[in-house]
Amino acid sequence: MPEQATAPLTDAAKQRIFAMLDRDGDGVVSRTEYLARVDRAAAAMGRGGDDPVVHTARAAHEHVFADMDADHDGRVTFEEYRAWAGHESFERSCRSALGSLFDVADHDGDGRLTREEFTQLRMASRNTETDAGQAFDDLDTDADGLVDREDYLAGIHDYVTTGSSPMAAAYRTLPTP
């Protein structure tokens, strides 16, 4: 019974994340569309394409896209994404890719983001400033004005796998193409 109760939340979470990835709203995520998220994050954080942190993020995202694209046609449908997203895929490829985006935003490399860094990163991922701010507040449990890398990754993991987490606020507003 509890599994049935969480399934709709998880699917809703997956739909919200898929909508963020499907930039043009055509119902599929192309390889170009997916990899552009690294460039958007780098640009938002003032990092150039030759930055080693950006190179690492691109490589990690290449791996995720190859992992998501079950039929290897260069396009990920929602059905492919739905079947792929979960704990195992998060640990296999998403953790490093999402961590690499965090690192793009973490200018001083201390493993923590300020509110400004966090908001810029999340807005580059199509979150609203308000939703990003609420997610930051929810993740900053010790109220020190910083979000830790592991807390950030755990928040996204929990959102994708259970539909509930402090990161849920980041996904309140669905993006428009």
Side-chain angles (χ1 to χ4, degrees):
M1 201 58 103
E3 288 179 26
Q4 292 175 342
T6 59
L9 291 172
T10 301
D11 205 41
K14 290 175 185 179
Q15 289 170 340
R16 289 184 180 283
I17 292 171
F18 187 83
M20 289 174 58
L21 299 174
D22 181 15
R23 296 287 291 194
D24 61 11
D26 67 352
V28 297
V29 178
S30 69
R31 181 179 170 278
T32 301
E33 207 169 19
Y34 186 73
L35 297 177
R37 67 188 300 202
V38 174
D39 298 327
R40 285 190 307 277
M45 304 314 294
R47 290 190 184 261
D50 59 344
D51 188 308
V53 176
V54 176
H55 282 284
T56 299
R58 277 199 197 106
H61 279 75
E62 286 274 7
H63 179 70
V64 171
F65 189 82
D67 199 29
M68 283 191 300
D69 186 11
D71 62 6
H72 308 290
D73 67 351
R75 301 166 15 119
V76 175
T77 65
F78 178 69
E79 291 307 316
E80 283 176 298
Y81 180 78
R82 177 194 282 151
W84 172 83
H87 174 74
E88 284 100 26
S89 61
F90 189 90
E91 295 304 326
R92 182 176 58 245
S93 60
C94 269
R95 179 175 293 281
S96 64
L98 293 168
S100 72
L101 285 181
F102 185 99
D103 297 343
V104 167
D106 183 12
H107 281 289
D108 63 6
D110 68 351
R112 302 177 301 171
L113 297 182
T114 65
R115 176 180 290 278
E116 180 181 353
E117 290 168 330
F118 182 91
T119 302
Q120 287 175 328
L121 174 62
R122 295 312 310 171
M123 288 178 65
S125 295
R126 298 183 76 193
N127 294 132
T128 67
E129 186 172 359
T130 300
D131 291 351
Q134 184 61 56
F136 182 90
D137 291 342
D138 292 346
L139 286 168
D140 183 17
T141 57
D142 62 1
D144 67 351
L146 300 167
V147 169
D148 180 77
R149 187 179 200 268
E150 286 309 309
D151 291 341
Y152 177 75
L153 293 173
I156 296 173
H157 172 271
D158 291 349
Y159 184 69
V160 171
T161 59
T162 70
S164 176
S165 93
M167 280 299 291
Y171 304 103
R172 281 190 308 217
T173 306
L174 284 173
T176 55

